[in-house]
Amino acid sequence: MYEDIILVCRDCGNEFTFTAGEQEFYTQQGFQNQPLSCKECRIARKNANRVPKEMHITTCARCGKEARVPFLPVEDRPVYCSECFAIMKEEG
């Protein structure tokens, strides 16, 4: 029913493919218009409005290495680096 369509991005001017699967998804979601921008430009526009998270530096409670976290650490709660957090999550 649907066939891939080649469109031109209004932001960067590059051609992009509006796939049959994307067209079906748009129809299911009730969207009536084709996308005007390519996926990369849509993502860039979405991310442009985001405020970067303030990162805080602390020491990992497990290995002692530097850890950067997106929240203000509290003295009475342990904070872990990414590696230790992943290990602990796997261990349950």
Side-chain angles (χ1 to χ4, degrees), residues 7-91:
L7 301 173
V8 177
C9 177
R10 71 172 175 187
D11 299 319
C12 67
N14 292 329
E15 291 184 346
F16 67 98
T17 304
F18 185 36
T19 67
E22 291 170 328
Q23 292 174 51
E24 185 176 1
F25 174 78
Y26 270 51
T27 301
Q28 290 172 351
Q29 296 301 313
F31 301 141
Q32 296 180 358
N33 299 319
Q34 297 176 346
L36 299 175
S37 303
C38 64
K39 186 174 183 177
E40 293 79 15
C41 289
R42 289 194 310 264
I43 290 170
R45 188 175 331 106
K46 180 180 175 182
N47 289 336
N49 295 329
R50 290 191 175 165
V51 177
K53 291 183 179 180
E54 181 181 354
M55 300 300 281
H56 301 276
I57 300 172
T58 189
T59 303
C60 176
R62 186 172 184 192
C63 70
K65 291 192 298 187
E66 179 181 281
R68 292 178 171 267
V69 294
F71 56 88
L72 188 59
V74 180
E75 292 295 322
D76 62 338
R77 302 210 52 200
V79 177
Y80 304 101
C81 66
S82 302
E83 294 84 17
C84 290
F85 184 78
I87 292 167
M88 292 175 66
K89 190 173 180 180
E90 286 178 9
E91 292 173 352

